[in-house]
Amino acid sequence: MAVQRNMNPKKTPMPVQDPNVRNHNFSEVALGYTYEMAVEEAKRCLHCPKKPCQSACPVAIDIPAFIEKVANEDMEGAYEILSASSALPAVCGRVCPQENQCEGKCVRGIKGEPVGIGRLERFVADYHREHSKEAPKMPVSNGHKVAVIGAGPSGLTAAGDLAKMGYKVTVYEALHLAGGVLVYGIPEFRLPKKIVQEEIDGLKAIGVDIETNMVIGKILTIDELFEMGNEAVYIASGAGLPRFMNIPGESLKGVYSANEYLTRVNLMKAYREDSKTPIKKSKNVAVVGGGNVAMDAARSAKRLGAENVYIVYRRSMEELPARKEEVEHAEEEGIIFKLLNNPVEILGDEDGMVKGMKCIEMELGEPDESGRRRPVAKEGSEFVLDVDTVIMSIGTSPNPLIRSTTPGLDTNRHGCIITNGDDGLTTREGVYAGGDAVTGAATVILAMGAGKHAAKAIDEYIKNKNK
Amino acid sequence: MFKIIKKEALNPTVTKMVIEAPLIAKKAEPGQFIIIRAKEDSERIPLTVADYDRENGTVTIIFQIVGAGTMELNTLNEGECVHDFVGPLGRASEIEGLKKVAVVGGGVGCAIAYPVAKKLHELGCEVHTITGFRNKDLVILEDEFKAVSDKQVMMTDDGSYGEKGLVTNALEKLINDGNQYDEVIAIGPLVMMKFVCKVTEKYNIKTTVSMNPIMIDGTGMCGGCRLTVGGETKFACVDGPDFDGHLVDFDEAMHRGTMYKEFEQHAREESCNLLNMEVK
Ligand SMILES: Cc1cc2nc3c(=O)[nH]c(=O)nc-3n(C[C@H](O)[C@H](O)[C@H](O)COP(=O)(O)OP(=O)(O)OC[C@H]3O[C@@H](n4cnc5c(N)ncnc54)[C@H](O)[C@@H]3O)c2cc1C
Ligand code: FES
């Protein structure tokens, strides 16, 4: 059916909560397209024959095809196309850095704004969740067992794919709740936990076992997982170990890693009045770093009542690695960007509480190995930022629990598990790995993609072995 | 869900629970800890493994009722279940090959010191134990310590039981009596460990302490448990909880321990009120 194209150069705007209301609550910021808005936006797609958007999608969703279904108001058809490639469309529609992926390659973006692919993905997934009554089908068992370590997006994706192929999958998760970063890191206002829970319930409904409170490497080793009858193991334990700057004062009270701050807020619900887990009531907060994690920490601090929240980042706006939308939302909510500044010391009072952070101004010099211009300190430009809380958000690396208890599993000098390219095979037979545990902190979609590839490779491995 | 097989009050503020957790019981070693959540919305509380029974599949924990979390845990009774029980976490104490050791325990820290003393005893090491309490009413695990010690010294601050004085007095006396220890293992309040280390430093005796900072996940994910040891940042949950006492920055650890004092006090009062209401 031919549809009337919508030639508006701008994206159909996303309804959002008012910035000055939402910076006091933890409800979702972006409210999602209505049915009519979704159909309107879908009509902006030109259906380019080369599909540049699809080739820029880490899991190669057939984007023009699903958008066409939306334009034709066949939402279930659109969902089928999405779910053929993505295990977590409701999540990815909300958190993917679309501007660097699909939308970055959209032809409509050359002369105006790209098609709102992420927004449409989110709409379709939400619509399906709210309207579909079909109970998931229990796959036919093939009699083989696989263990997955870590219930983040990578582990959950691999588990879902393997379960659909008939494997009996058990996912072992260290925390008391499944979801990985989706539940302990990314805040409610960006990704409602209900959505993550529903995705997990969907996996359970097709027979995936999720065992929480199981720290692999401690309670069971990978060798023991094999002894228990698993024929392959997929390691998706993420990269949770926070880095610090090693500057004076980092052990003062009021200095958090972003992981600790966000875990208290998200996993332990410290934002609720009735929470039993404490968090500091701060007045002035400095968040050090410029990624999604830093934005989430800053926006959470604001919502918890801080008056002034600063993002302290040593490069400029251009290099800021966070999703564009998050930076815009943060600015609207009153987060203050202190760019081209680097902390040199955190100052404390006699009680050991943070009372300020000494920073130095930076300027951009010659490009470094990463191709970005290297920030260099401006001599004599030190100043003190008046803060009572500092949140360090300068990166994470994989924790040592698995590598230190699995003989023959090679890791690189950052502690990331070494794999032979796409299928995720490690240096141990039958052991596969993917997601942040392999790449270091990256994105949900890459972690998910790695889970899909590994599931396929594990299936081939087990089939060949049993031939 | 993990069933409470046995619950016993060791003294008015210290409770012992035996919990059914066969997989953890199979792996646990002295020095390791577990993280417990009493109910679905409870805090995560780290507690050291006080004992384990590999055959019966149980793990024993001993806790002092200090804050809202432990108070809530203490409302659970035999036959009921704790919601979450994770472990064994941290590294096991390195005690193989020691010939003569002094184990110093202070207060509820004795619950952590006991399994270490027991294991040393089983390994054929000569074990001297020094246990310290504020007063007679607070004494715990006396018989257990006696059973695994070649020498046992009981100290109370007020002299109401055993000898009057601090554990450091007793330790220094034993050293001066000519006892040559391969190692001193000190487990108790931060101040106690700090002063034990001051004594042993003087005599140049290797000293291991068990640190219990504020923790959340216990897997190296939050960094809340960090300490400065020998000038480096260490995470107690994965690098410890045992550390070389002569390298630990105790003053910093003491400061960090008071981070949520106000919240704790408030939460404690609230739960007291709730409990009082329930009782009425
Ligand atoms: C605050 C924050 C915001 C982010 N925002 C975005 C965003 O907007 N967009 C985006 O694309 N990406 C974002 N990311 C990155 C993204 O979340 C991660 O790249 C992704 O979650 C990685 O998935 P994973 O499955 O590899 O690991 P994780 O999600 O980290 O999951 C690993 C799981 O393994 C468990 N585990 C670890 N060790 C063990 C063990 N020994 N035994 C058992 N279980 C274990 C962990 O508890 C965890 O649940 C963000 C990250 C953070 C922290
Ligand atoms: S408790 Fe979180 S890192 Fe140790």
Side-chain angles (χ1 to χ4, degrees):
Chain A
M1 198 189 354
V3 288
Q4 180 72 41
R5 257 184 210 147
N6 166 359
M7 290 312 290
N8 191 330
K10 288 205 170 286
K11 280 185 193 177
T12 310
M14 180 70 135
V16 291
Q17 270 196 75
D18 182 85
N20 288 318
V21 173
R22 71 180 191 235
N23 63 14
H24 297 293
N25 70 45
F26 274 83
S27 307
E28 194 170 15
V29 168
L31 303 172
Y33 277 167
T34 60
Y35 192 96
E36 293 71 29
M37 288 173 184
V39 174
E40 247 337 89
E41 183 63 17
K43 289 180 184 165
R44 291 185 64 231
C45 176
L46 302 177
H47 297 282
C48 315
K50 282 204 177 142
K51 306 186 180 181
C53 48
Q54 181 174 13
S55 55
C57 171
V59 296
I61 295 176
D62 190 344
I63 293 165
F66 104 78
I67 292 185
E68 186 169 58
K69 296 276 184 199
V70 178
N72 286 320
E73 303 190 34
D74 173 9
M75 301 308 171
E76 278 311 309
Y79 183 77
E80 259 168 49
I81 295 171
L82 276 180
S83 61
S85 309
S86 167
L88 306 165
V91 175
C92 293
R94 287 172 165 84
V95 305
C96 264
Q98 287 94 3
E99 68 271 21
N100 305 326
Q101 301 175 5
C102 52
E103 294 183 22
K105 290 277 151 51
C106 177
V107 171
R108 292 295 307 259
I110 300 169
K111 280 203 182 131
E113 286 181 355
V115 175
I117 301 171
R119 296 170 181 184
L120 290 172
E121 179 183 21
R122 166 184 167 156
F123 172 80
V124 172
D126 287 356
Y127 187 89
H128 168 80
R129 205 179 53 249
E130 282 152 22
H131 293 85
S132 165
K133 298 212 170 43
E134 222 178 296
K137 283 190 275 301
M138 196 66 163
V140 184
S141 165
N142 68 9
H144 297 283
K145 271 172 64 170
V146 177
V148 171
I149 305 171
S154 200
L156 292 176
T157 302
D161 280 15
L162 286 163
K164 284 181 203 152
M165 296 174 202
Y167 290 90
K168 179 70 211 150
V169 186
T170 309
V171 182
Y172 295 97
E173 167 56 47
L175 292 172
H176 59 259
L177 207 63
V181 168
L182 308 183
V183 297
Y184 80 70
I186 304 180
E188 180 76 19
F189 58 83
R190 205 147 71 78
L191 179 64
K193 300 306 151 230
K194 198 172 129 259
I195 290 171
V196 182
Q197 194 50 52
E198 281 170 356
E199 300 283 359
I200 291 165
D201 291 344
L203 289 181
K204 288 187 184 160
I206 58 167
V208 173
D209 267 339
I210 301 184
E211 291 204 25
T212 51
N213 294 325
M214 295 290 279
V215 182
I216 301 304
K218 289 291 178 188
I219 193 160
L220 292 171
T221 61
I222 288 190
D223 291 300
E224 285 167 317
L225 292 176
F226 281 110
E227 284 163 25
M228 287 160 63
N230 291 294
E231 292 175 56
V233 173
Y234 181 56
I235 308 173
S237 49
L241 192 85
R243 251 177 249 145
F244 287 90
M245 286 186 80
N246 295 320
I247 56 172
E250 268 181 314
S251 291
L252 290 165
K253 285 185 281 182
V255 182
Y256 289 94
S257 74
N259 268 2
E260 180 182 357
Y261 197 78
L262 290 169
T263 300
R264 283 178 184 274
V265 174
N266 299 317
L267 184 70
M268 305 310 293
K269 309 276 174 248
Y271 67 89
R272 289 202 211 138
E273 277 294 319
D274 63 351
S275 174
K276 291 174 181 146
T277 297
I279 193 147
K280 187 170 177 191
K281 295 246 179 295
S282 313
K283 200 161 164 229
N284 300 306
V285 179
V287 179
V288 181
N292 286 320
V293 187
M295 298 305 137
D296 285 345
R299 297 169 70 197
S300 297
K302 188 84 187 176
R303 283 164 171 75
L304 288 170
E307 282 166 30
N308 297 299
V309 181
Y310 307 98
I311 291 277
V312 178
Y313 180 59
R314 64 200 180 112
R315 301 180 197 248
S316 70
M317 200 55 138
E318 228 166 274
E319 289 88 14
L320 213 62
R323 286 179 84 216
K324 206 167 129 241
E325 190 184 8
E326 307 314 326
V327 178
E328 285 165 12
H329 282 165
E331 282 184 309
E332 288 166 14
E333 288 165 16
I335 307 295
I336 304 155
F337 284 74
K338 290 257 174 211
L339 302 172
L340 287 165
N341 283 297
N342 207 25
V344 288
E345 182 181 356
I346 303 166
L347 311 168
D349 64 15
E350 55 292 343
D351 251 353
M353 277 284 183
V354 172
K355 66 165 189 194
M357 183 167 83
K358 194 194 262 179
C359 301
I360 189 160
E361 288 177 24
M362 310 293 277
E363 55 196 353
L364 293 179
E366 296 298 309
D368 60 15
E369 324 80 77
S370 72
R372 300 182 299 179
R373 292 174 65 194
R374 185 195 302 275
V376 267
K378 275 199 232 170
E379 219 169 292
S381 66
E382 287 96 342
F383 66 100
V384 173
L385 201 58
D386 175 22
V387 291
D388 55 22
T389 303
V390 175
I391 302 173
M392 287 293 171
S393 178
I394 53 167
T396 54
S397 48
N399 74 46
L401 295 171
I402 290 174
R403 65 171 184 264
S404 63
T405 53
T406 311
L409 185 75
D410 289 355
T411 53
N412 68 17
R413 69 192 166 92
H414 301 292
C416 299
I417 299 171
I418 296 173
T419 59
N420 76 346
D422 255 7
D423 63 5
L425 181 62
T426 67
T427 48
R428 277 278 307 260
E429 190 191 331
V431 180
Y432 295 74
D436 284 6
V438 168
T439 56
T443 60
V444 172
I445 189 84
L446 287 171
M448 220 183 72
K452 285 197 109 46
H453 286 132
K456 212 166 135 249
I458 288 172
D459 179 46
E460 278 161 19
Y461 165 72
I462 293 180
K463 279 196 184 131
N464 278 331
K465 202 172 62 125
N466 291 295
K467 247 185 210 158
Chain B
M1 300 291 256
F2 301 81
K3 194 158 162 197
I4 303 168
I5 303 291
K6 196 161 171 253
K7 179 181 174 187
E8 186 187 336
L10 298 185
N11 74 28
T13 62
V14 176
T15 301
K16 170 172 149 181
M17 276 184 185
V18 179
I19 302 209
E20 189 173 63
L23 284 177
I24 303 177
K26 220 166 110 190
K27 286 289 172 75
E29 290 288 342
Q32 289 188 299
F33 65 97
I34 53 88
I35 285 187
I36 192 167
R37 284 208 319 154
K39 299 181 185 161
E40 198 183 350
D41 60 350
S42 303
E43 238 190 308
R44 294 171 65 95
I45 308 173
L47 294 171
T48 306
V49 171
D51 208 348
Y52 46 80
D53 183 334
R54 303 216 200 280
E55 260 160 47
N56 288 319
T58 59
V59 173
T60 304
I61 49 168
I62 295 179
F63 57 93
Q64 186 158 29
I65 304 152
V66 278
T70 40
M71 206 179 264
E72 186 180 33
L73 181 57
N74 200 43
T75 61
L76 297 178
N77 291 313
E78 257 174 43
E80 293 184 297
C81 289
V82 294
H83 200 274
D84 300 286
F85 200 67
V86 201
L89 299 169
R91 293 162 176 257
S93 302
E94 288 169 19
I95 49 180
E96 307 272 310
L98 296 174
K99 297 273 176 312
K100 184 167 177 173
V101 172
V103 177
V104 184
V108 73
C110 291
I112 311 172
Y114 168 67
V116 181
K118 181 175 152 193
K119 179 95 181 200
L120 283 165
H121 177 74
E122 284 166 8
L123 291 171
C125 171
E126 183 178 346
V127 184
H128 292 183
T129 57
I130 305 167
T131 47
F133 300 92
R134 270 195 323 225
N135 60 48
K136 184 169 188 244
D137 294 340
L138 300 177
V139 171
I140 58 170
L141 299 174
E142 187 185 3
D143 295 339
E144 283 86 344
F145 269 105
K146 277 194 183 140
V148 300
S149 307
D150 296 284
K151 189 178 195 61
Q152 210 298 304
V153 184
M154 171 71 68
M155 304 294 291
T156 50
D157 292 4
D158 64 355
S160 54
Y161 198 60
E163 289 172 44
K164 184 176 156 81
L166 301 171
V167 290
T168 40
N169 307 137
L171 177 64
E172 197 150 11
K173 184 161 179 298
L174 285 174
I175 295 170
N176 287 331
D177 285 349
N179 287 295
Q180 299 214 339
Y181 298 115
D182 300 341
E183 190 170 323
V184 169
I185 298 172
I187 305 171
L190 288 169
V191 250
M192 181 206 96
M193 295 195 284
K194 174 177 166 179
F195 284 102
V196 167
C197 289
K198 285 230 158 110
V199 170
T200 56
E201 218 161 13
K202 220 164 52 184
Y203 297 96
N204 217 346
I205 308 170
K206 182 177 176 216
T207 304
T208 301
V209 295
S210 174
M211 303 298 285
N212 50 352
I214 294 170
M215 292 191 182
I216 304 182
D217 57 301
T219 65
M221 185 266 277
C222 72
C225 65
R226 65 192 185 278
L227 306 163
T228 306
V229 181
E232 278 180 60
T233 299
K234 297 277 180 194
F235 290 3
C237 69
V238 285
D239 301 322
D242 286 359
F243 291 100
D244 179 341
H246 295 148
L247 299 178
V248 171
D249 184 338
F250 283 105
D251 295 332
E252 178 190 285
M254 284 186 235
H255 267 312
R256 286 185 62 80
T258 62
M259 173 81 203
Y260 297 108
K261 223 168 155 187
E262 269 173 45
F263 181 95
E264 273 293 329
Q265 230 151 19
H266 180 72
R268 192 190 159 115
E269 278 158 22
E270 290 230 311
S271 9
C272 284
N273 288 342
L274 276 179
L275 286 179
N276 286 342
M277 267 157 39
E278 275 171 26
V279 171
K280 273 179 207 159

